[in-house]
Amino acid sequence: SLGSNKDEDYQLVSLGMDGKVLVWAWRKGGTIEAPLFGHELVHANPRTHKIITWGGTSLSFWRQQKQGNLAFVAGAEGGGVFRFLLDDESAAGSSYRSPIKASLAPHAGMTTAVASSPFHRGLFVTCGSDSVCKIFNSQSNKPILELEPACAGLFSLSWSPCRPLVFAAGTGDGRVFLYDLAASRSMPVRQ
């Protein structure tokens, strides 16, 4: 959710394979109304430079810019990884606008998961069907570290809620790789 306090309604964000990022109002009592506003993941294909709509596969809150604005990281079916900013002011009007602010180093296959660090503002990890985990800092469009823990595609990620440099990556065949970047920047500490 975009956040709330107990005196306000919630806002939910959805991302779909149609490329639409929608913000919904979830009112007290559990009713969800029509989308308040939306955006569309429209950006140039890095190979052809043709403007296309990217189907979204994964999404993670990155940080709050200011009241009403949130930055996200999104993964796309074509391997794209994007930083984007959602705000209700830029969504005014009937047409969807692209919230993409930067295109990051893509995966060779579908980007299947993204996860923002709960401890380090601007640090996030992505994984894809190409079996690679990429760790990014918000200051660069290139990863600061790439890890390839398995031959099988990676489909899930999660940062530790209590250890700042620990995250897990899961494969399609049921294996889980646990990384502690303080102990090793190249090998999982458990699998």
Side-chain angles (χ1 to χ4, degrees):
S1 83
L2 286 178
S4 175
N5 66 40
K6 62 185 174 183
D7 298 326
E8 297 177 1
D9 295 326
Y10 286 92
Q11 291 182 335
L12 302 174
V13 176
S14 65
L15 172 66
M17 291 295 281
D18 61 357
K20 288 196 174 54
V21 181
L22 301 174
V23 178
W24 305 78
W26 182 9
R27 304 289 178 216
K28 293 177 187 170
T31 59
I32 298 177
E33 299 178 5
L36 298 172
F37 61 92
H39 294 280
E40 197 167 34
L41 294 181
V42 177
H43 198 69
N45 181 314
R47 291 179 277 285
T48 65
H49 302 288
K50 181 180 177 183
I51 301 295
I52 62 171
T53 300
W54 292 79
T57 57
S58 51
L59 159 69
S60 181
F61 292 96
W62 176 38
R63 65 178 178 169
Q64 184 154 354
Q65 299 279 346
K66 61 181 180 178
Q67 190 64 21
N69 293 343
L70 284 173
F72 290 78
V73 178
E77 63 182 330
V81 179
F82 304 105
R83 284 188 310 213
F84 63 98
L85 180 66
L86 279 184
D87 64 45
D88 50 0
E89 292 173 15
S90 71
S94 60
S95 62
Y96 291 105
R97 295 186 184 157
S98 178
I100 295 173
K101 300 301 180 194
S103 176
L104 309 178
H107 283 273
M110 180 188 307
T111 300
T112 54
V114 296
S116 298
S117 170
F119 296 99
H120 301 285
R121 180 177 165 176
L123 184 69
F124 53 94
V125 63
T126 66
C127 71
S129 60
D130 60 358
S131 305
V132 176
C133 287
K134 295 182 179 189
I135 300 171
F136 290 90
N137 180 309
S138 64
Q139 304 303 313
S140 175
N141 292 347
K142 296 180 190 248
I144 56 175
L145 184 62
E146 289 189 30
L147 306 166
E148 194 166 351
C151 293
L154 298 169
F155 291 94
S156 62
L157 290 169
S158 184
W159 286 96
S160 167
C162 56
R163 301 252 332 261
L165 296 174
V166 175
F167 73 92
T171 67
D173 61 5
R175 292 179 290 158
V176 176
F177 295 89
L178 185 65
Y179 283 91
D180 182 346
L181 299 176
S184 173
R185 291 180 44 103
S186 61
M187 300 297 295
V189 293
R190 295 240 193 265
Q191 64 181 26

